[in-house]
Amino acid sequence: MPGADRDSRRFVARAVAAVAAAGTVGAGLAVRAGADGAFAKYAGSALYTVLLCALVAFCAPRARPLVVAATALGLSWAVEFAQLTGVPAELSAHSTAARLVLGSTFNAPDLFWYAVGAVGAWAVLRAAARARS
């Protein structure tokens, strides 16, 4: 059954994306626990986009690596630019979850580090796709 094989591949792709998301959260927590200053901040920014890549890949397991990375980068940038409105800061003041997801203040260098995370995730996704074919 060709459909069953396709469903199996999607299941595996989603499982890998879920494990990657959990591993990325773990890496982010480890960076925050073991480092501080600029390194921790910008590693966290890059990992934020890597996490979004994993979540996009989970939601769209057949998406091409470039689409996954570009979508995650676009979402990261949208969240960062939304911080210019003050809405994320207001939400973050009342919710830890909002603070973790939306941040609170715009920081232009984050835009670069989001791109670094997207490129890194794209490279891993592309290598994995090539290995499967």
Side-chain angles (χ1 to χ4, degrees), residues 79-80 82-93 98-107:
V79 168
E80 191 68 30
Q83 292 170 356
L84 292 170
T85 68
V87 172
E90 179 64 26
L91 294 171
S92 294
R99 187 176 71 248
L100 293 171
V101 173
L102 302 175
S104 60
T105 51
F106 179 80
N107 184 33

Side-chain angles (χ1 to χ4, degrees), residues 51-107:
L51 175 61
L52 287 177
C53 283
L55 295 175
V56 170
F58 180 85
C59 293
R62 294 184 62 202
R64 294 176 184 237
L66 184 59
V67 171
V68 170
T71 301
L73 180 58
L75 290 169
S76 298
W77 282 351
V79 168
E80 191 68 30
F81 282 114
Q83 292 170 356
L84 292 170
T85 68
V87 172
E90 179 64 26
L91 294 171
S92 294
H94 303 289
S95 167
T96 301
R99 187 176 71 248
L100 293 171
V101 173
L102 302 175
S104 60
T105 51
F106 179 80
N107 184 33

